[in-house]
Amino acid sequence: MTDGHGNEAATSTLEHHQRTESAQRLARPLIKLAKASGLATSFIDQLGTYTEISDDALVAVLKALDVDASSDEAIARSMADLEEAESKRLLNPTVVAVTGTSTSIQLNCPADEDVTVAVTLEDGFSFDDCTVLPDLNSGHPVLTLGTDLPMGYHTLDVTADGRAGHATIIAAPARIPVPEAVAEQQRWGWMTQMYSVRSHDSWGVGDYGDLKRLLIDAAHESGADFMLINPIHAGAPITPLEPSPYLPESRRFLNVTYIRPQDIPEYGTLPDDVRARVDELHASVAARNDESTPMDINAAWEAKRPALRLIFEAGRNAKRELEFERFKALAGPDLDSFATWCVCFEVWGAPWGENRWFFDKRIDDPEVTALVETHHDLFEFNRWLQWIAAEQVTEAQHAATESGMALGLMQDMAVGVHGLGADAWANPERFATGSVTVGCPPDFYNQQGQDWGQPPFNPRYLEATGYQVYREMVHAMYEHAGAVRIDHVLGLFRLWWIPQGLGAKNGAYVMYNHEAMLGVLSIEATRAGGMVIGEDLGTVPDYVRRILADHGVLGTDVEWFARVDDSPNAGDPYKKPSEYRRQALASVTTHDLPPTAGYLGFEHVKLREELHLLSEPVEQFAASALAERTAMMDRLVESGYITAAAAEDVPGHIQQIVEAMHAMLTDTPSLLLQAALVDGVGETRSQNQPGTSTEYSNWRVPLADEHGHVVHTDEVFALPRVRSLAAVMQHKRR
């Protein structure tokens, strides 16, 4: 199969009955090299169609992994190099152990060699329950770690006749325990785009102060046990800002544009003239809190940042200074790297377009060091911003749990980071940068595939370093959250790498050590008494869902996608609520669909036609949308949630149908249920339209009701419509 340019397509569709690669294909040297390097050379798409990856995509992705497959001779050399490196390795650099069970590690040396073993636990103590015995079948010695190995990250050192091997042991529980409060009864919560909900104290964009108020009110006024918000990873230090929270500059640190200056302790002790200047800056953008048009995130930050600088320059008392110093010490060198990138960004300009410093200057470059020394106040300011952001998010989580929420804040982990962001610049070795980006192949809802423009983690780097960068990121998220939702959880197993110039359809899956990454999640969630939710929608193999469930990771069930036998076909019947998974976060909708009122009114059809996103005639897509809605109405009628008359007049019964769809959620066995604030207030506009960037006001739509009136933070849970939906979620009304 070829595309319009005569090139072989990555997702070459074979006959429907074929499910595996032929013996002839498997015998090809390129296919063998790709598999040995951790690439999947075929896959089953969302429609159940067997597809094979093109040679062009395989060669390009291998190149991104520093494996040369440019010719037959190069393929032979690369395979020989892989085999030689494997033969010299005494043991894998990362070992995953399950607490409570013994762990066997085969060592790559003759069974009769003298082997010494040392295990150093995370706390610095030694672990001595280790034995080394020969394996008669393999001819290699096997190291066995005892069952009492504690949970944590430990180090293993092995020597065998002068050869040395070093490994990180990720010792994790077999399964993340369900928190007692969730195990005893089904819990529910809200989903919202935090930035969209503003109060009179906001600066034109929702902030951490709004989040704190939303959490408290959601607990007290609606009985909710958690609130899922958009990712709050770090963005650019100055404008123009990237609107998408799913394209951060760093996942290790927080978005400081959401800080509320008035909630910083030092704001209350500012000299009168300085405080007046801060208040004037707030007043310059405060009126925007009442506007229902797309938010101007740049204007908000251009007012707030100088206000924050005034508070920073006013200084801190001795106690607060010690707290700041402690934060910097605990954050470690990555905080310094991030602050350094911020200084370069502000002084030298945004690192894209014709500005080449991102490519020409490394973090250890003398010019970079001199720049930080010259602008040390700016360097310190950016570290201070991270401290303040961490304080305010932590305060929000404490307020949530003190208000009675079982989980509190549910943070959202983005798939990756911006290719020109702080993480990719300071530590390029962590990523496959420059020639590939991450996305996903075509599916029913994104027929052209998606390219998210992010460099993927290099699986070889992760393995060699014991997944330390992933450990630190996950730990930081659980410092102020009761649960973490992982966007595109399939990325723990494999990621769709898209070579430059080949398009989103023409990529290849690169495999990751999911046991190691799930081990990290298990450790951090268990230590925090929290939960992990995996967004497992779209092209996700059944084995992935089984493994996630075995580890205690909840899946994601969405009513609009929950068809019988998981059919991807619009118009096919929907599942009964009793057929949903117990181990899941169940919801009516997602942030990538219009609010339910809008979806029922076919806003997605209108928007996709307007933005030229359809790969089929609009009449065909509209027909499938109607079939989908009709099938949902059939399910609601059959299960007794609405009458046939309501189903025949959807526009006249929107709120009733929205509440009926949520009532159906409450009859599922799912551990967690979720309602969207946009569904509560009656909003119809999409927050995000996949496949667009500047074509639509993604991630900038403020919360408004069905009449287009802004709903402020302190008004949300007083609205009769929100209270009515909350009552449905609490089983108080049907």
Side-chain angles (χ1 to χ4, degrees), residues 88 90 134 184 194 247 278 286 436 572 586 588 619 624 633 706:
K88 292 180 178 179
L90 187 57
E184 66 185 16
M194 185 196 77
L247 187 56
V278 172
V436 290
D572 281 359
V588 171
E619 294 80 9
S624 69
M633 296 308 104
E706 69 271 32

Side-chain angles (χ1 to χ4, degrees), residues 482-527:
V484 171
R485 173 192 179 273
I486 302 176
D487 192 46
H488 193 65
V489 74
L490 180 61
L492 301 181
F493 297 76
R494 66 187 193 189
L495 279 175
W496 184 251
W497 289 24
I498 304 167
Q500 280 186 352
L502 295 187
K505 293 182 179 181
N506 203 11
Y509 276 118
V510 175
M511 312 307 289
Y512 287 77
N513 185 345
H514 63 270
E515 290 294 342
M517 299 174 89
L518 285 169
V520 171
L521 289 165
S522 298
I523 291 170
E524 298 301 335
T526 300
R527 286 175 170 173

Side-chain angles (χ1 to χ4, degrees), residues 568-628:
N569 302 317
D572 281 359
Y574 281 98
K575 295 178 181 177
K576 297 177 182 178
S578 60
E579 297 172 349
Y580 281 55
R581 292 177 288 179
R582 180 176 185 273
Q583 193 159 314
L585 168 65
S587 66
V588 171
T589 188
T590 81
H591 60 243
D592 284 334
L593 298 179
T596 306
Y599 204 76
L600 290 167
F602 304 130
E603 289 296 321
H604 53 306
V605 177
K606 302 169 191 173
L607 189 57
R608 292 186 195 190
E609 180 187 19
E610 178 184 330
L611 299 176
H612 307 291
L613 296 176
L614 297 174
S615 58
E616 60 189 353
V618 65
E619 294 80 9
Q620 184 176 339
F621 186 65
S624 69
L626 177 59
E628 184 178 48

Side-chain angles (χ1 to χ4, degrees), residues 356-671:
R356 296 281 307 174
W357 66 262
F358 183 95
F359 304 99
D360 297 339
K361 302 288 191 298
R362 297 264 55 90
I363 193 168
D364 56 356
D365 191 295
E367 284 190 56
V368 173
T369 302
L371 187 74
V372 171
E373 290 175 354
T374 302
H375 298 277
H376 189 74
D377 59 331
L378 184 57
F379 173 80
E380 198 72 355
F381 175 56
N382 280 287
R383 297 203 292 180
W384 176 84
L385 287 173
Q386 286 299 323
W387 174 51
I388 297 300
E391 282 194 328
Q392 294 195 354
V393 179
T394 300
E395 288 172 8
Q397 170 64 0
H398 286 167
T401 55
E402 289 170 3
S403 297
M405 281 190 165
L407 296 173
L409 181 60
M410 184 184 290
Q411 283 210 50
D412 200 349
M413 181 194 294
V415 178
V417 295
H418 197 294
L420 299 179
D423 288 359
W425 178 69
N427 300 101
E429 70 280 0
R430 298 175 179 176
F431 302 90
T433 58
S435 61
V436 290
T437 51
V438 173
C440 66
D443 59 29
F444 175 77
Y445 287 91
N446 299 283
Q447 299 163 357
Q448 301 176 36
Q450 295 183 64
D451 184 344
W452 301 322
Q454 301 164 329
F457 267 142
N458 187 325
R460 295 182 175 186
Y461 173 85
L462 292 175
E463 196 76 11
T465 57
Y467 291 78
Q468 183 173 349
V469 60
Y470 191 72
R471 285 153 41 189
E472 291 175 349
M473 178 182 67
V474 174
H475 177 77
M477 295 187 75
Y478 275 108
E479 284 186 319
H480 23 245
V484 171
R485 173 192 179 273
I486 302 176
D487 192 46
H488 193 65
V489 74
L490 180 61
L492 301 181
F493 297 76
R494 66 187 193 189
L495 279 175
W496 184 251
W497 289 24
I498 304 167
Q500 280 186 352
L502 295 187
K505 293 182 179 181
N506 203 11
Y509 276 118
V510 175
M511 312 307 289
Y512 287 77
N513 185 345
H514 63 270
E515 290 294 342
M517 299 174 89
L518 285 169
V520 171
L521 289 165
S522 298
I523 291 170
E524 298 301 335
T526 300
R527 286 175 170 173
M531 302 185 75
V532 179
I533 295 89
E535 186 270 290
D536 57 353
L537 304 172
T539 307
V540 178
D542 288 340
Y543 80 88
V544 169
R545 293 191 172 98
R546 288 196 299 270
I547 292 173
L548 292 173
D550 289 344
H551 283 78
V553 176
L554 271 63
T556 302
D557 282 348
V558 177
E559 280 190 2
W560 284 118
F561 306 149
R563 299 185 182 91
V564 174
D565 296 328
D566 295 320
S567 169
N569 302 317
D572 281 359
Y574 281 98
K575 295 178 181 177
K576 297 177 182 178
S578 60
E579 297 172 349
Y580 281 55
R581 292 177 288 179
R582 180 176 185 273
Q583 193 159 314
L585 168 65
S587 66
V588 171
T589 188
T590 81
H591 60 243
D592 284 334
L593 298 179
T596 306
Y599 204 76
L600 290 167
F602 304 130
E603 289 296 321
H604 53 306
V605 177
K606 302 169 191 173
L607 189 57
R608 292 186 195 190
E609 180 187 19
E610 178 184 330
L611 299 176
H612 307 291
L613 296 176
L614 297 174
S615 58
E616 60 189 353
V618 65
E619 294 80 9
Q620 184 176 339
F621 186 65
S624 69
L626 177 59
E628 184 178 48
R629 189 180 77 175
T630 300
M632 181 60 73
M633 296 308 104
D634 290 344
R635 166 50 54 210
L636 294 174
V637 171
E638 182 180 334
S639 298
Y641 297 104
I642 62 173
T643 64
E648 292 172 2
D649 179 23
V650 172
H653 297 81
I654 290 292
Q655 183 176 349
Q656 179 186 346
I657 293 171
V658 169
E659 292 189 0
M661 293 179 72
H662 286 82
M664 186 162 68
L665 278 185
T666 66
D667 288 334
T668 69
S670 301
L671 286 174

